[in-house]
Amino acid sequence: MNGPPPQAWLNALLRVLQEGQLALLDLWYALGWTSDVHGQPAWPWARRIAGETLLIDLGLARQLGLSLLAVAVALACVVIALCWRRRRALWLGIGALALVAAPWPTPALLLTPAAPTSFHQSPTRFAVDSIAEGARLYARHCVACHGDDGRGEGPLAGTLSRWPPTFLSPLLGRRAEGELFWHIVAGMHDAAGHETMPPFGQQLDDRQAWAVIDYLKTLAAGTGTALQGTWPVPLRLPEVAVRCGQTAPRTLADWRGGQRVRVVAFDGSPDTLPIDDPRFLTLLVTRDGRPPASVPDFRAGCVASTPAVWPVYARIAGADPARLAGTTWLADRDGWLRALDAPGGSGWSDASLVCTAGQPATRAAGNTADHGAAPDGLTALLLRMDAEPVRFVQGGFVH
């Protein structure tokens, strides 16, 4: 009998570890053994479990999983021994044997350095306004070293003792957001204690530091699209107020309601509005954030109601804002941006994917067989997105 795919048990293991560490942090905070730092409970230990290492080292993950299973068996044996006195020695012996036989992982591989903010969560909800503010702050404080495109090739990069990292690195993108926040506000040092990046905690407040992190995500996506056609890390639909016609604005999550979304950069007459499609909702991105004056029948008319959205999506696409019109993005049911079609492209296909899950599209193939004919390029792409949900681990957290 074949076992479950590695992703199933690995996801379960990572979630157990995630919830366990958060529960431990909550307990320490409730007991008053750790305090607030930057508005959230501080992680009181110098290390945490390296979930990002477990994701790529399945051998280490199996060792940890089997060891946790052995601990569970040992605890069960203790409970049974307490309830069944006549066989107490036997059950205690079984529990001890399970602990001895467990393949305990090496702590140096399992644990990674942590910061007081390692488990902090961003309060910005990856919103358009936050990304736009982060772009301004990045241009003021970061571009000289990290460069316009985030590859670490700014004009001052060569004068530093250590070359700045590139934001296109998947390993950098999978660092816990709270640790990126800590590096921004507290700076960075090498093994000898020499400063490699100055702290910006005096120039930026907490909200601004989180805004910079939001912008770094879009910067990595845009540069990745321009250079290699894919993103180093997945990107969610930026949160924004949505207005449909003359109705009151709604939050993106409320308007979307778990549906797929097509985002279209629209800059033209009502006759060129995209046609509504029952396979997804359509969100227009306009220069001024206003809905079209008139919307013909069967045309899309819901708009992201802020002018800041146009330059944000231009950065995500890695495109000149003046040439963004006609660019289209597709987001899956979980709210992850997955595919991009630039103006003048060859149409939707697997080549349109900028964010993949790296799994075979088995469900899409099954649906094709059920219908007896190959679906069109867009339908096939949507089926693949449904069949391959994003499994993104950042700092040991499954997102």
Side-chain angles (χ1 to χ4, degrees), residues 30 40 45 61 75 87 99 119-120 123 130 148 190 202 214 225 227 256 263 274 280 287 331 334 349 363 397 399:
Q40 299 180 47
W45 296 283
L75 291 175
R87 299 287 184 176
L99 295 176
F119 289 87
H120 279 29
S130 176
D148 286 322
D190 59 22
Q202 297 299 318
D214 284 342
T225 301
L227 295 180
R256 186 174 69 84
V263 181
F280 40 66
R287 292 183 183 276
D334 295 323
S349 68
R363 190 180 307 170
F397 287 78
H399 293 258

Side-chain angles (χ1 to χ4, degrees), residues 313-386:
Y313 270 93
R315 172 54 75 181
I316 291 175
D320 182 346
R323 300 180 179 179
L324 186 66
T327 305
T328 304
W329 298 259
L330 293 177
D332 62 22
R333 298 180 190 276
D334 295 323
W336 295 101
L337 286 167
R338 302 292 300 274
L340 169 67
D341 184 39
S346 57
W348 295 108
S349 68
D350 283 352
S352 306
L353 287 170
V354 290
C355 174
T356 63
Q359 301 169 1
T362 53
R363 190 180 307 170
N367 283 347
T368 298
D370 292 342
H371 287 85
D376 62 89
L378 177 55
T379 299
L381 188 60
L382 294 173
L383 290 173
R384 180 174 177 182
M385 287 164 47
D386 287 348

Side-chain angles (χ1 to χ4, degrees), residues 47-256:
R47 293 188 173 271
R48 61 170 175 82
I49 296 175
E52 55 270 58
T53 301
L54 297 174
L55 181 68
I56 59 178
D57 190 342
L58 292 183
L60 181 65
R62 290 190 185 95
Q63 282 184 287
L64 180 59
L66 292 173
S67 297
L68 292 177
L69 181 60
V71 170
V73 169
L75 291 175
C77 288
V78 169
V79 172
I80 294 174
L82 292 175
C83 299
W84 194 2
R85 295 184 179 181
R86 294 181 58 185
R87 299 287 184 176
R88 177 173 297 174
L90 173 62
W91 286 108
L92 290 178
I94 293 174
L97 181 61
L99 295 176
V100 171
W104 299 100
T106 303
L109 299 177
L110 181 61
L111 302 176
T112 190
T117 61
S118 284
F119 289 87
H120 279 29
Q121 298 295 302
S122 174
T124 66
R125 299 178 300 123
F126 193 58
V128 165
D129 290 340
S130 176
I131 298 169
E133 182 178 17
R136 294 189 292 270
L137 295 169
Y138 181 89
R140 184 186 310 164
H141 298 289
C142 314
V143 73
C145 296
H146 291 281
D148 286 322
D149 58 7
R151 291 194 292 168
E153 300 175 356
L156 297 183
T159 67
L160 304 177
S161 59
R162 176 178 294 181
W163 204 267
T166 172
F167 297 127
L168 267 68
S169 166
L171 292 178
L172 180 63
R174 291 178 178 138
R175 291 292 298 270
E177 285 188 357
E179 291 175 1
L180 295 177
F181 174 88
W182 183 255
H183 292 326
I184 291 173
V185 300
M188 297 181 67
H189 299 80
D190 59 22
H194 301 133
E195 184 178 89
T196 58
M197 189 180 90
F200 289 92
Q202 297 299 318
Q203 293 101 313
L204 306 176
D205 60 28
D206 289 354
R207 179 182 56 80
Q208 291 173 325
W210 287 114
V212 170
I213 294 173
D214 284 342
Y215 177 67
L216 294 182
K217 297 177 187 177
T218 65
L219 180 62
T223 303
T225 301
L227 295 180
Q228 55 203 30
T230 59
W231 294 347
V233 292
L235 200 67
R236 288 194 178 276
L237 274 167
E239 182 60 47
V240 67
V242 177
R243 180 186 292 274
C244 301
Q246 300 304 313
T247 62
R250 302 164 62 185
T251 65
L252 176 69
D254 178 54
W255 171 77
R256 186 174 69 84

